[in-house]
Amino acid sequence: MSKWVRAHTNIALIKYWGKENEALIIPKNNSLSLTLDAFYTDTKVTFKADLAADELILDGEKQDQTALKKVSAVLDLIREKAGMTEFATVESVNYVPTAAGLASSASGLAALAGAANEAAGLNLSSEALSRLARRGSGSASRSIYGGFVEWEKGTDDQTSVARPVDDANWDIGMLFIIVKDAKKDVSSRDGMRRTVETSPFYDGWLATLDRDLAEMKAAISEQDIDKVGTIAERNALKMHATTLGANPPFTYWSADSMVAMDAVRTLRKEGHSVYFTMDAGPNVKVICKQSEMKTIKQALCAYFGEEQIISAAPGPGIQVMEN
Ligand code: DP6
């Protein structure tokens, strides 16, 4: 039966950056993320006998072929499992506070996997949903679960899945700084491909990941925000360094990203537990204690408008909505 399914976005503290297998979206390395409550996607899938192709309606607007590609990749797998041939209408609503422009493929593809499972009546396990979401977008595999989640790279389609690590029910949260000088970006898919193929720094990135991951897991089990933040920040900087070595080189940083990173360093010198991470875009995510979030947000308002800073707490895994 068609039902709305909600999935929250996640931000990686140990980044996924590069694929071992492009077609199956099997990554080069394990990654670890925190699912957050502030950004999420609601999706409903309806299979219809009279459709000539899948269609995606996002926030009320019909999307083009590019957006549909990842969606149909997931729907094809569902059709195969269910022995169905019908195409589907996918209705999706992104919940993003203010005009942040934070479209999230992680929450979107995770919600889609859940909604397609409901519509096809497959009754898939969370593990199967994670695998399915992964085939739409790698980071979506992690949004099936709440709290801290590790995506184990695995060796094939079956073994490459995310698993919950910790419920994050302790004093940790994230502030999103939405910078204004966003430029035309390189998608994460293209960016990681170019980096793997051309950057001499890519091997260096891979070489230290096991250590970062092991230390991160220990820091999470100790609920030590300073260790978590320190490792996340150095991991993100290493990932971003690989893009500068790519050919042609590129960066996701803008002038405002640098202002934000510097602000975080300044706050840290003043004694706060505050660290940053960044993904395939110029926005900066600030890891801090939930109990200090108001103070940190206030301090960041010296650099950015209040409407540019969004608070997030750890969020839940996917949910089937009653209506
Ligand atoms: C920098 O999951 O968007 O956010 O698998 O090609 O769809 P595809 O890529 P995607 O990449 C996310 C990259 C990242 C780091 C991370 O989320 O781990």
Side-chain angles (χ1 to χ4, degrees), residues 36-98:
L36 295 156
D37 67 352
F39 307 95
Y40 54 92
T41 306
D42 283 354
T43 295
K44 186 168 93 170
V45 170
T46 315
F47 288 102
K48 297 175 181 166
D50 59 345
L51 284 177
D54 293 323
E55 56 178 10
L56 170 63
I57 298 155
L58 179 59
D59 296 329
E61 277 178 40
K62 203 166 163 172
Q63 303 294 301
D64 63 13
Q65 287 303 317
T66 333
L68 205 57
K69 233 179 111 187
K70 291 181 179 182
V71 166
S72 287
V74 172
L75 291 174
D76 283 345
L77 292 167
I78 285 279
R79 279 187 282 261
E80 196 185 306
K81 277 187 201 294
M84 294 167 59
T85 51
E86 283 109 344
F87 289 108
T89 298
V90 178
E91 294 163 81
S92 219
V93 183
N94 267 333
Y95 290 87
V96 179
T98 72

Side-chain angles (χ1 to χ4, degrees), residues 5 7-8 10 16 19 23-26 70-71 73-75 77-78 81 105-117 124-145 151 157 160-162 189 318:
V5 172
H8 290 76
N10 73 77
Y16 148 50
K19 294 179 180 67
L24 295 175
I25 313 200
I26 294 172
K70 291 181 179 182
V71 166
V74 172
L75 291 174
L77 292 167
I78 285 279
K81 277 187 201 294
S105 66
S107 58
L109 274 301
L112 173 70
N117 172 47
L124 296 173
S125 65
S126 298
E127 186 176 308
L129 290 180
S130 171
R131 203 174 281 131
L132 201 59
R134 188 199 86 228
R135 298 286 291 271
S137 188
S139 54
S141 65
R142 300 183 307 237
S143 273
I144 298 299
Y145 301 102
W151 171 16
D157 181 52
S160 188
V161 286
R189 191 157 292 189
I318 65 165

Side-chain angles (χ1 to χ4, degrees), residues 68-317:
L68 205 57
K69 233 179 111 187
K70 291 181 179 182
V71 166
S72 287
V74 172
L75 291 174
D76 283 345
L77 292 167
I78 285 279
R79 279 187 282 261
E80 196 185 306
K81 277 187 201 294
M84 294 167 59
T85 51
E86 283 109 344
F87 289 108
T89 298
V90 178
E91 294 163 81
S92 219
V93 183
N94 267 333
Y95 290 87
V96 179
T98 72
L102 267 184
S104 169
S105 66
S107 58
L109 274 301
L112 173 70
N117 172 47
E118 293 298 322
L122 282 173
N123 211 3
L124 296 173
S125 65
S126 298
E127 186 176 308
L129 290 180
S130 171
R131 203 174 281 131
L132 201 59
R134 188 199 86 228
R135 298 286 291 271
S137 188
S139 54
S141 65
R142 300 183 307 237
S143 273
I144 298 299
Y145 301 102
F148 291 102
V149 181
E150 180 179 2
W151 171 16
E152 290 171 16
K153 64 179 176 182
T155 49
D156 55 18
D157 181 52
Q158 201 60 19
T159 51
S160 188
V161 286
R163 293 184 205 287
V165 165
D166 179 283
D167 62 10
N169 193 10
W170 48 280
D171 196 7
I172 188 163
M174 224 180 252
L175 287 163
F176 286 65
I177 303 177
I178 313 302
V179 305
K180 281 198 172 134
D181 58 348
K183 50 188 173 197
K184 197 177 175 313
D185 47 16
V186 182
S187 71
S188 42
R189 191 157 292 189
D190 293 346
M192 66 176 84
R193 183 186 299 123
R194 194 193 299 173
T195 306
V196 172
E197 285 172 0
T198 66
S199 177
F201 306 150
Y202 190 74
D203 286 345
W205 153 257
L206 280 185
T208 60
L209 272 168
D210 285 348
R211 186 181 142 199
D212 282 2
L213 184 69
E215 287 183 17
M216 178 62 81
K217 283 161 92 169
I220 289 170
S221 67
E222 290 160 26
Q223 305 192 349
D224 185 331
I225 190 161
D226 294 299
K227 281 191 192 159
V228 167
T230 302
I231 301 159
E233 190 173 298
R234 80 169 184 233
N235 185 267
L237 287 170
K238 265 187 286 193
M239 179 206 118
H240 285 272
T242 66
T243 72
L244 296 178
N247 188 10
F250 64 105
T251 181
Y252 291 111
W253 298 4
S254 70
D256 276 356
S257 315
M258 309 276 270
V259 170
M261 288 189 266
D262 232 35
V264 168
R265 290 188 186 104
T266 303
L267 282 167
R268 196 152 70 222
K269 278 197 197 116
E270 289 167 2
H272 298 286
S273 292
V274 32
Y275 304 86
F276 62 79
T277 186
M278 284 182 69
D279 295 293
N283 296 325
V284 175
K285 290 102 185 183
V286 180
I287 301 156
C288 63
K289 294 180 178 167
Q290 263 191 72
S291 58
E292 270 206 322
M293 206 117 96
K294 275 209 180 100
T295 315
I296 303 293
K297 184 171 176 178
Q298 195 86 45
L300 289 171
C301 282
Y303 307 85
F304 299 97
E306 202 190 334
E307 75 290 348
Q308 288 176 270
I309 309 169
I310 300 163
S311 314

